[in-house]
């Protein structure tokens, strides 16, 4: 792997929250009982891409708290490295993605930021209402 790709991989990440667990269940990412109880309890897991796999970071009771926690987690992972670049990505949840970006900008002070829709393939697996925060830090 080229050095620039390794550096980028090691200094970037993706955190996201889904609106419903139904699409993760349909895609075989979680079991039926997990989806049922998560839905009943209004659980909004904060998920992260790690080594090409989706991993659960935390289970939070409301989506607004989960979105706030994503910003905190990104700040922890950035750990003071500069410059910071951010993007919010969404599946039919543009207003939430824009609000997330506004809050993330205020806390993480990026030199660049973008908001864009998810690809249809990823959106199909995560479901409508999915919002992600991606970051890259320490790369000039």
């Amino acid at each position: 792997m080229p050095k620039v790709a390794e550096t980028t991989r090691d200094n970037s990440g993706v955190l996201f929250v889904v609106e419903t667990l139904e699409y993760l269940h349909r895609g075989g990412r979680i079991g039926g009982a997990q989806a049922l109880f998560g839905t009943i309890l209004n659980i909004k897991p904060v998920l992260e891409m790690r080594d090409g796999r989706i991993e659960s970071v935390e289970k939070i009771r409301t989506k607004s708290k989960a979105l706030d926690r994503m910003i905190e987690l990104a700040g922890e992972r950035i750990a003071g490295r500069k410059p910071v670049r951010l993007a919010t990505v969404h599946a039919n949840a543009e207003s939430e993605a824009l609000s997330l970006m506004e809050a993330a900008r205020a806390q993480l002070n990026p030199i660049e930021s973008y908001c864009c829709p998810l690809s249809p393939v990823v959106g199909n697996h995560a479901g409508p209402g999915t919002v992600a925060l991606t970051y890259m830090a320490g790369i000039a």
Side-chain angles (χ1 to χ4, degrees), residues 18 20-40 43 45 47 54 56 59:
V18 296
T20 176
L21 298 173
E22 174 186 350
Y23 293 87
L24 293 177
H25 172 64
R26 284 184 189 177
R29 306 268 189 264
I30 62 172
Q34 204 174 9
L36 175 66
F37 288 118
T39 301
I40 290 170
I43 298 294
L47 305 165
I54 297 171
S56 177
K59 293 176 180 139

Side-chain angles (χ1 to χ4, degrees), residues 60-78:
I60 299 177
R61 290 289 301 246
T62 67
K63 191 170 184 184
S64 63
K65 288 179 185 175
L67 295 173
D68 291 342
R69 183 65 179 135
M70 277 198 316
I71 297 169
E72 293 172 7
L73 289 165
E76 291 170 11
R77 284 153 174 74
I78 289 167

Side-chain angles (χ1 to χ4, degrees), residues 1 5 11-12 20 41 44 46 51 56 59 78 84 93 108 124:
M1 180 182 299
N11 291 284
S12 59
T20 176
L41 297 173
K44 303 296 182 194
V46 175
D51 300 321
S56 177
K59 293 176 180 139
I78 289 167
V84 174
L108 303 174
N124 185 50

Side-chain angles (χ1 to χ4, degrees), residues 88-90 93-105 114-116 131:
T88 54
V89 188
H90 65 90
E94 185 175 22
S95 63
E96 282 182 315
L98 290 170
S99 294
L100 176 65
M101 179 54 74
E102 185 177 319
R105 275 190 201 128
Y114 302 94
C115 182
C116 58
V131 179

Side-chain angles (χ1 to χ4, degrees), residues 1-13 51 77-78 81 135-139:
M1 180 182 299
K3 179 95 173 125
V4 69
E6 290 175 359
T7 301
T8 301
R9 177 199 63 208
D10 295 341
N11 291 284
S12 59
D51 300 321
R77 284 153 174 74
I78 289 167
R81 291 176 289 147
Y135 58 89
M136 184 169 62
I139 300 175

